[in-house]
Amino acid sequence: MGNWKMNKDLSSAVSYVEEFFKLARDTGGKIDIVLFPPFPLIHPVVEAIRGGARWTDLFAVGAQDMHFAEKGAYTGAVSGICIKSVGATHVIIGHSERRTLFGDDNKTVGAKLKSALEMGLVPVLCVGEPLDIRDAGREEEYVIRQLKSAFDKIETRSLRSFTFAYEPIWAIGTGRNATRDEIEPMHNLIRKWASKVGFQGGGDSVRILYGGSVNPDNARELYDIDGVDGFLVGGASLEAYSFAAILDAMIGKE
Ligand code: 13P
């Protein structure tokens, strides 16, 4: 999944999709591809994908955030209803940049998650610790707290599947990806937690993406780590060729 963050304009977004279709190999139905453009570019990207005619059912578009309310006096905010109406099927909830730069606390993240699920959007819930917490060896309790509060008001037993993204903050945009020893235990922890709180189908019904400095060179090694079901890619998703190269590395392993 590619999170464009605050990048691109209309023409570069549309030409990206055209270029990506030319470069990307067929995934054989095994890998879902989702792009997360800025809000105003969601609909043009959806249209460009529909016009592309190649495995469009595997190629979806999502929003990088949403407000928890359905509508109302929230100047500048965008509701789940609105993003759905322009063709988004997915939404990132609780990205660390929303948490640290825009004040989304655990309670807000929980309210957004609840709203996304009620609206039939597929949420990608981001969790991950800052460096001082990792250095103090407290990353597991930190992430568990994020998980607990995100699902505080949600009936987990009603969820048939769910997608998490483990994104350690110190690995985002730094060029320093987390290693197997750091990723594997955390993905195991998240899966065990999901199973314990009763997701339908247990821990196997959840997908856990890794995010943080994923690029074409490290993608295959990272995808090889037990419990890594995919990636949430930032910087390396901004160019169609490097996003396609990451996909290539994943197809190579499937
Ligand atoms: P980078 O891939 O640029 O490190 O960003 C990761 C991320 O935050 C994706 O949501």
Side-chain angles (χ1 to χ4, degrees):
M1 301 192 177
N3 175 7
W4 287 354
K5 307 191 179 182
M6 198 176 75
N7 292 286
K8 297 201 184 293
D9 58 12
L10 181 57
S11 66
S12 58
V14 171
S15 56
Y16 178 108
V17 175
E18 288 160 3
E19 197 190 338
F20 184 78
F21 274 129
K22 280 191 208 132
L23 295 169
R25 277 204 289 150
D26 196 332
T27 59
K30 289 192 177 136
I31 301 169
D32 292 349
I33 305 162
V34 188
L35 288 176
F36 295 91
F39 289 126
L41 303 180
I42 291 175
H43 192 247
V45 168
V46 167
E47 292 286 292
I49 291 170
R50 282 183 188 148
R54 277 187 70 198
W55 27 270
T56 43
D57 51 332
L58 295 174
F59 198 171
V61 183
Q64 297 171 15
D65 183 42
M66 59 177 271
H67 197 271
F68 52 77
E70 281 187 22
K71 59 181 176 178
Y74 300 100
T75 301
V78 181
S79 71
I81 288 184
C82 181
I83 58 176
K84 211 174 156 185
S85 75
V86 293
T89 49
H90 293 61
V91 60
I92 296 175
I93 302 285
H95 192 280
S96 65
E97 285 147 24
R98 295 297 318 174
R99 294 178 191 257
T100 56
L101 303 174
F102 300 95
D104 283 14
D105 58 14
N106 279 337
K107 198 164 160 248
T108 308
V109 169
K112 289 182 176 186
L113 180 59
K114 187 164 188 290
S115 178
L117 289 167
E118 283 168 1
M119 281 171 202
L121 286 159
V122 179
V124 178
L125 176 69
C126 296
V127 293
E129 77 288 353
L131 189 57
D132 59 330
I133 295 288
R134 161 107 6 213
D135 285 346
R138 290 176 33 230
E139 67 278 3
E140 297 204 340
E141 63 179 88
Y142 187 91
V143 166
I144 289 291
R145 198 169 337 116
Q146 286 182 319
L147 292 171
K148 277 186 181 158
S149 59
F151 286 93
D152 189 33
K153 304 241 168 3
I154 294 165
E155 183 45 77
T156 44
R157 280 168 210 285
S158 66
L159 297 173
R160 265 191 306 274
S161 61
F162 196 82
T163 304
F164 297 91
Y166 171 53
E167 297 207 313
I169 297 176
W170 45 272
I172 295 177
T174 58
R176 176 190 163 193
N177 61 274
T179 62
R180 180 184 295 268
D181 290 350
E182 290 156 339
I183 296 171
E184 206 175 288
M186 188 59 86
H187 281 223
N188 282 340
L189 180 83
I190 295 170
R191 208 176 295 280
K192 270 199 201 125
W193 180 84
S195 174
K196 198 176 101 195
V197 299
F199 280 78
Q200 275 184 32
D204 292 342
S205 62
V206 306
R207 288 201 290 184
I208 309 175
L209 314 177
Y210 165 74
S213 299
V214 177
N215 62 46
D217 294 331
N218 61 20
R220 188 171 300 215
E221 195 186 334
L222 290 168
Y223 197 44
D224 216 29
I225 297 172
D226 213 28
V228 172
D229 300 317
F231 299 123
L232 186 54
V233 186
S237 74
L238 291 179
E239 298 294 343
Y241 69 84
S242 66
F243 195 46
I246 291 173
L247 195 61
D248 239 20
M250 296 170 75
I251 294 170
K253 199 220 147 188
E254 285 293 336

